[in-house]
């Protein structure tokens, strides 16, 4: 009973100590404020007295103003003296008693409590040692020491207990004194202060009180009016917020905001507790720039969950929960499955994280850009009545038509041809063509013989060249660039003359994936060389598909989402034999769609220049062969002419010998011979030849 009663007294003493500390702080604030007020009034009086010493550039000596301020300074100086007296009285009559009680009496209680606790512990220890005295083997010396210890500790405990109890009982009287004395001193100091003030400021004080009363009435009327307005506002808000109290509001009445780049709220996160078991934990999640943060209840600050720049987010189907979605980091090493409270929050979180992953938050107008991107995404999964409507809705302010064989990596939005823009969707994409969501080439299915040449033989391929064995096809290629891509799908198309074919294929494949809830994607390594494009398995290095570069007739990236790109492959054969078939392949990359298109364009340029060089070389060889043939003909002609000249010389020699024999038999000189003698040797030869 004593211990229980002591506990009540100790609890009361602790409550008194806590209350006295708060009261001491409040009174100390009054004392500090009074000292500050005294110093401030004294400074104001001093400044008013020094007004006549001031020299203002635009103000002359105003004696009326100076004398008026001197009177104010005198009155304020008297007030300053009154405040100084009040400060002294507050220090002596209010602060001193409560400080003495706080520093002396309360500390004495705490000290006695500690001494009593020590004495009680010593008494308990002495009783324990006394109780352990052996009955059979009594040691008088030890017994005497133990008895003396019990006597001393019990006496000490009893003495400290009596002093402690007396101090606790006395505290009940001292607390009344400690409360009443400071208040009595405070009131006496204030009465003395007001008496001094009433002697000097009686009329001014009455006028002041009258003005204050009028102001209080005005404030009360304003307060009543404001309270009435606030009550009406609260009632209106309660009526308007009634549907929001539902955990899952109607998405038609409260549509989701898809253009957000920041969001915060409570989500449930799934934590794996075993191989197949998991638990859900509710935490507060918020986005900060390109980071997803979480904060548990009771934590001071949030912690980083993952970097969501260039991440991927998708809806997942959990067996035990609704409204679940999964966030996967850029490198795919970290993922989190989260659950939203409602469908509205579920859609907003997915849209917000998707907007942040595209780094829209770094732009100047993130909401405007997010709205434009989401509009493009909405059109990509919503059937449009005609190509012209989608073409016009996505047309930028300035457009330029890219070449049919080389689409700009920045993705120009369509063609300027009026005939193309007026085509329907069926004229771009074959309506009865199934969409392939896995890496299966329709050409390879229809032409088994071509699968072998398309890389389906299963031979391991090193994308950077092979050593030993057979020589790879791309070993001599100048360009070797490797990209990580994920295959989205492929389908047959009718046209390969405009990048709008690629955009339309992207729209239909994304729409089909959204409708059929197809989220799985096959990851591959895309190797770009000057000869072909290869899809290589990242783990086994086996070539899955091979596309000859000359057959890649068109390639483009998505207008808004640069992670999406595709190309059109033109092949012979297909569902109908002996006809040209065009198939569009769509991929998703790690924000490198433009780089891939640039790489393909560079490869086609290199191949084009190589083909030009080859044709120039063949043409030069043909020219050399023609020149060689002409040289042979010329040499043959020269040989014939040489033979003819030799025959003519032989004939001329035989004629000269016949002429000499004739001159020996006949001596005939005609006029023609005399002319020949005048012509000389050349004339003779000419005449002989004639």
């Amino acid at each position: 009973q004593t211990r229980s009663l002591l506990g009540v007294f100790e609890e009361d003493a602790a409550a008194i100590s806590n209350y006295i500390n708060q009261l001491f702080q409040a009174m100390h604030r009054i004392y500090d404020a009074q000292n500050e007020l005294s110093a401030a009034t004294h400074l104001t009086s001093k400044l008013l007295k020094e007004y006549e010493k001031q020299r203002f550039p635009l103000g002359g000596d105003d004696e009326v103003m100076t004398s008026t301020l001197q009177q104010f300074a005198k009155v304020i100086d008297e007030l300053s003296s009154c405040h100084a007296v009040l400060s002294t009285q507050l220090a002596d009559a209010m602060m001193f008693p409560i400080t003495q009680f706080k520093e002396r009496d309360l500390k004495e209680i705490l000290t006695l409590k500690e001494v009593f606790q020590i004495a009680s512990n010593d008494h308990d220890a002495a009783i324990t040692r006394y109780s352990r005295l052996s009955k059979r083997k009594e040691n008088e010396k030890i017994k005497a020491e133990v008895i003396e210890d019990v006597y001393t500790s019990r006496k000490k405990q009893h003495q400290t207990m009596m002093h402690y109890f007396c101090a606790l009982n006395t505290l009940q009287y001292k607390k009344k004194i400690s409360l009443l004395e400071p208040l009595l001193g405070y009131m006496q100091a204030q009465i003395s202060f007001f008496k001094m003030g009433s002697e000097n400021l009686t009329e001014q004080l009455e006028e002041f009180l009258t003005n204050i009363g009028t102001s209080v009435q005005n404030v009360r009327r304003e307060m009543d009016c404001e309270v009435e307005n606030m009550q009406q506002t609260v009632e209106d808000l309660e009526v308007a917020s009634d549907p929001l109290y539902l955990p899952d509001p109607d998405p038609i009445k409260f549509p989701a905001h898809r253009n957000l780049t920041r969001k915060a709220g409570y989500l449930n996160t799934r934590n794996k507790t075993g191989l197949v078991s998991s638990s859900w934990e509710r935490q507060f999640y918020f986005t900060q720039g390109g980071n997803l943060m979480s904060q548990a209840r009771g934590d001071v600050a949030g912690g980083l969950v993952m970097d969501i720049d260039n991440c991927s987010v998708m809806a997942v189907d959990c067996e035990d929960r609704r409204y679940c979605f999964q966030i996967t980091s850029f490198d795919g090493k970290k993922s989190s499955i989260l659950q939203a409270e409602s469908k509205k929050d579920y859609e907003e979180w997915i849209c917000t994280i998707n907007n942040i992953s595209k780094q829209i938050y770094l732009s100047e107008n993130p909401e405007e850009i997010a709205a434009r991107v989401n509009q493009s995404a909405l059109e990509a999964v919503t059937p449009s009545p005609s190509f012209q409507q989608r073409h016009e809705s996505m047309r930028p302010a300035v457009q330029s038509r890219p070449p049919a064989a080389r689409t700009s990596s920045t993705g120009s939005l369509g063609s300027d041809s009026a005939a193309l823009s007026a085509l329907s969707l069926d004229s771009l994409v074959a309506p009865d063509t199934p969409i392939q969501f896995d890496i299966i080439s329709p050409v390879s299915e229809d032409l088994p013989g071509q699968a072998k040449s398309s890389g389906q033989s299963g031979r391991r391929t090193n994308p950077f060249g092979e050593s030993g064995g057979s020589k790879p096809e791309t070993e001599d290629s100048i360009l070797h660039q490797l990209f990580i891509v994920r295959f989205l799908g492929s389908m047959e198309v009718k046209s390969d003359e405009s990048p709008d074919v690629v955009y339309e294929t992207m729209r239909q494949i994304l729409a089909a994936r959204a409708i059929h809830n197809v989220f799985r994607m096959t990851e591959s390594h895309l190797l770009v060389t000057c000869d072909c494009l290869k899809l290589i398995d990242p783990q086994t290095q086996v070539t899955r598909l091979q596309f000859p570069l000359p057959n890649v007739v068109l390639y483009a990236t998505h207008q808004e989402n640069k992670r999406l790109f595709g190309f059109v492959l033109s092949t012979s054969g297909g569902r109908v034999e002996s006809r040209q078939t065009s198939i569009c392949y769509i991929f998703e990359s790690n924000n490198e769609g433009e780089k891939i298109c640039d790489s393909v364009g560079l490869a086609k340029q290199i191949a084009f220049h190589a083909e030009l060089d080859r044709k120039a070389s063949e043409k030069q060889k043909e020219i050399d062969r023609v020149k060689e043939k002409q040289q042979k003909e010329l040499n043959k002609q020269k040989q014939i002419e040489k033979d003819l000249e030799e025959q003519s010389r032989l004939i001329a020699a035989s004629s000269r010998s016949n002429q000499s024999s004739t001159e020996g038999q006949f001596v005939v000189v005609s006029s023609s011979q005399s002319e020949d003698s005048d012509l000389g040797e050349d004339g003779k030869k000419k005449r002989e030849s004639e």
Side-chain angles (χ1 to χ4, degrees):
Q1 291 177 355
T2 303
R3 290 283 183 179
S4 177
L5 186 60
L6 178 62
V8 175
F9 272 81
E10 288 179 346
E11 184 178 357
D12 183 74
I16 292 172
S17 177
N18 186 24
Y19 181 77
I20 289 298
N21 287 330
Q22 296 179 7
L23 184 62
F24 173 79
Q25 293 177 2
M27 290 184 174
H28 201 279
R29 288 184 63 182
I30 294 175
Y31 176 67
D32 291 340
Q34 185 59 43
N35 289 333
E36 180 64 24
L37 183 59
S38 176
T41 52
H42 179 70
L43 179 61
T44 304
S45 174
K46 183 179 179 181
L47 289 174
L48 291 176
K49 289 179 181 179
E50 293 178 353
Y51 178 80
E52 60 181 359
K53 299 179 182 180
Q54 302 295 323
R55 295 294 179 264
F56 300 102
L58 300 179
D61 295 335
D62 191 350
E63 296 180 358
V64 177
M65 187 66 181
T66 302
S67 60
T68 304
L69 291 179
Q70 289 295 329
Q71 292 177 1
F72 273 110
K74 182 179 179 181
V75 176
I76 293 175
D77 195 12
E78 293 176 358
L79 288 175
S80 176
S81 301
C82 296
H83 284 298
V85 173
L86 178 59
S87 298
T88 305
Q89 291 178 351
L90 290 177
D92 296 337
M94 183 180 69
M95 296 305 300
F96 181 74
I98 194 170
T99 303
Q100 285 292 100
F101 178 73
K102 178 176 176 295
E103 298 294 336
R104 184 181 63 185
D105 298 330
L106 293 180
K107 282 190 176 181
E108 182 183 2
I109 293 293
L110 294 176
T111 304
L112 288 174
K113 181 180 179 180
E114 293 178 359
V115 173
F116 173 70
Q117 188 66 34
I118 294 172
S120 298
N121 294 336
D122 293 343
H123 177 259
D124 293 340
I127 289 296
T128 301
R129 289 195 297 270
Y130 178 76
S131 301
R132 292 177 181 175
L133 289 175
S134 177
K135 181 179 179 181
R136 298 178 180 180
K137 297 180 181 181
E138 293 185 357
N139 190 336
E140 295 297 332
K141 183 177 180 181
I142 296 176
K143 183 178 180 181
E145 291 178 355
V146 172
I147 293 174
E148 180 67 21
D149 193 10
V150 172
Y151 171 79
T152 304
S153 61
R154 183 170 291 175
K155 181 178 180 181
K156 182 179 179 182
Q157 182 194 18
H158 189 237
Q159 290 176 350
T160 55
M161 180 178 65
M162 289 188 295
H163 286 86
Y164 185 37
F165 291 174
C166 289
L168 289 175
N169 290 327
T170 307
L171 182 64
Q172 300 301 316
Y173 297 95
K174 289 183 178 180
K175 73 176 182 180
K176 299 177 181 179
I177 298 172
S178 64
L179 291 174
L180 295 177
E181 278 189 353
L183 295 177
L184 182 62
Y186 173 75
M187 295 305 298
Q188 289 177 350
Q190 292 291 343
I191 291 172
S192 175
F193 172 74
F194 285 115
K195 282 183 178 180
M196 289 187 294
S198 63
E199 295 175 358
N200 300 324
L201 304 172
T202 304
E203 297 179 358
Q204 292 86 341
L205 185 60
E206 291 178 357
E207 185 179 358
F208 175 74
L209 292 177
T210 303
N211 295 333
I212 288 297
T214 305
S215 300
V216 168
Q217 294 299 326
N218 294 333
V219 170
R220 187 176 296 277
R221 284 194 297 270
E222 292 179 3
M223 182 187 67
D224 294 339
C225 182
E226 186 67 23
V227 167
E228 184 178 356
N229 293 334
M230 286 191 295
Q231 290 178 352
Q232 184 64 35
T233 303
V234 169
E235 293 177 359
D236 295 340
L237 287 176
E238 287 180 353
V239 174
S241 303
D242 186 68
L244 299 179
Y245 299 146
L246 296 173
D248 192 3
D250 188 358
I252 299 177
K253 296 181 180 179
F254 302 94
H257 299 284
R258 302 179 179 273
N259 306 330
L260 301 175
T261 55
R262 291 184 301 173
K263 187 167 177 60
Y266 281 96
L267 295 173
N268 294 325
T269 177
R270 188 172 74 173
N271 300 320
K272 285 189 176 181
T273 57
L275 294 177
V276 294
S277 61
S278 61
S279 63
W280 294 84
E281 182 181 1
R282 182 178 173 85
Q283 289 187 358
F284 185 79
Y285 283 80
F286 60 96
T287 61
Q288 192 173 50
N291 298 325
L292 180 64
M293 313 289 287
S294 69
Q295 183 174 350
R297 183 169 295 177
D299 291 349
V300 179
L304 177 65
V305 177
M306 70 171 64
D307 182 6
I308 54 178
D309 278 340
N310 299 320
C311 73
S312 60
V313 57
M314 65 176 65
V316 293
D317 186 13
C318 294
E319 297 178 356
D320 56 341
R321 298 287 177 126
R322 301 180 305 163
Y323 308 136
C324 296
F325 58 95
Q326 180 176 353
I327 307 173
T328 306
S329 61
F330 170 77
D331 52 6
K333 295 181 180 179
K334 191 173 183 180
S335 63
S336 296
I337 295 180
L338 304 172
Q339 180 200 14
E341 185 178 282
S342 62
K343 186 175 182 180
K344 178 176 179 292
D345 283 344
Y346 160 79
E347 294 179 356
E348 286 184 352
W349 272 107
I350 291 179
C351 293
T352 302
I353 294 174
N354 191 28
N355 293 336
I356 294 176
S357 69
K358 300 172 184 175
Q359 299 182 351
I360 298 177
Y361 65 94
L362 298 175
S363 58
E364 295 181 358
N365 298 318
E367 293 187 359
E368 181 181 351
I369 297 177
R372 189 166 68 251
V373 172
N374 290 325
Q375 181 66 23
S376 301
L378 183 62
E379 292 174 355
V381 297
T382 305
S384 56
S386 67
F387 176 80
Q388 175 66 19
Q389 294 180 2
R390 187 177 69 87
H391 180 74
E392 294 296 334
S393 64
M394 301 175 67
R395 183 183 296 273
V398 179
Q399 296 183 355
S400 60
R401 177 179 178 179
R406 171 66 176 97
T407 302
S408 174
S409 61
T410 58
S412 78
L413 304 179
S415 169
D416 293 333
S417 174
L420 180 60
S421 62
L423 292 177
S424 64
L425 297 180
D426 293 341
S427 64
L428 294 176
V429 179
D432 56 345
T433 301
I435 298 177
Q436 299 289 345
F437 293 117
D438 205 349
I439 301 181
I440 300 175
S441 174
V443 178
S444 300
E445 290 178 348
D446 296 333
L447 299 176
Q450 190 173 348
K452 207 165 190 180
S453 63
S454 299
Q456 298 292 338
S457 60
R459 185 177 62 84
R460 295 180 182 271
T461 303
N462 186 349
F464 300 104
E466 296 179 350
S467 60
S470 61
K471 183 178 179 180
E473 297 177 1
T474 60
E475 185 176 5
D476 296 332
S477 179
I478 300 175
L479 183 66
H480 283 82
Q481 288 190 349
L482 197 67
F483 302 94
I484 299 176
V485 297
R486 289 170 291 278
F487 182 73
L488 294 178
S490 64
M491 61 186 300
E492 184 178 339
V493 295
K494 287 186 175 182
S495 174
D496 56 1
E497 298 178 355
S498 170
D500 296 305
V501 177
V502 180
Y503 306 151
E504 179 61 28
T505 306
M506 289 179 181
R507 188 189 71 82
Q508 293 203 16
I509 290 177
L510 290 176
R513 280 182 168 269
I515 292 172
H516 300 291
N517 293 324
V518 179
F519 301 110
R520 184 176 61 85
M521 293 182 289
T522 303
E523 184 170 291
S524 304
H525 288 171
L526 178 64
L527 178 63
V528 180
T529 66
C530 298
D531 301 323
C532 62
L533 305 181
K534 284 187 178 182
L535 284 180
I536 302 173
D537 187 274
Q539 296 180 354
T540 62
Q541 296 299 312
V542 172
T543 301
R544 290 172 171 170
L545 282 178
Q546 180 173 327
F547 309 100
L549 192 62
N551 293 352
V552 179
V553 295
L554 185 65
Y555 47 94
T557 57
H558 196 272
Q559 299 93 333
E560 304 295 342
N561 187 0
K562 300 305 180 184
R563 300 168 66 181
L564 298 178
F565 77 97
F567 60 85
V568 178
L569 186 72
S570 178
T571 58
S572 59
R575 292 176 299 164
V576 180
E577 295 294 335
S578 301
R579 77 174 183 88
Q580 198 74 10
T581 305
S582 298
I583 302 174
C584 185
Y585 294 85
I586 305 300
F587 297 88
E588 181 188 26
S589 66
N590 296 332
N591 207 17
E592 293 182 340
E594 295 182 355
K595 295 181 180 179
I596 296 176
C597 286
D598 291 339
S599 179
V600 175
L602 180 60
K604 291 186 76 67
Q605 288 182 3
I606 294 174
F608 177 71
H609 289 297
E611 182 66 18
L612 290 180
D613 294 341
R614 186 185 64 80
K615 290 183 178 180
S617 177
E618 291 181 354
K619 187 175 181 181
Q620 186 64 34
K621 290 181 180 179
E622 183 67 24
I623 292 173
D624 292 341
R625 286 196 297 269
V626 171
K627 286 183 177 181
E628 185 178 357
K629 186 176 180 181
Q630 291 178 353
Q631 187 66 30
K632 288 182 179 179
E633 293 292 337
L634 184 59
N635 293 336
K636 186 176 181 182
Q637 185 67 25
K638 288 181 178 180
Q639 184 66 31
I640 293 173
E641 292 179 355
K642 186 177 180 180
D643 293 341
L644 290 176
E645 289 179 357
E646 185 67 25
Q647 291 179 2
S648 63
R649 281 196 299 270
L650 292 176
I651 294 171
S654 62
S655 344
R656 281 195 300 270
S657 61
N658 293 333
Q659 186 177 0
S660 301
S661 61
T662 305
E663 288 178 352
Q665 295 176 2
F666 304 97
V667 182
V668 179
V669 179
S670 63
S671 61
S672 59
Q673 290 178 347
S674 61
E675 290 176 357
D676 291 339
S677 61
D678 296 334
L679 289 175
E681 191 66 26
D682 294 334
K684 291 180 180 180
K685 290 182 179 180
K686 184 177 180 182
R687 192 65 179 266
E688 289 174 357
S689 63
E690 289 178 357

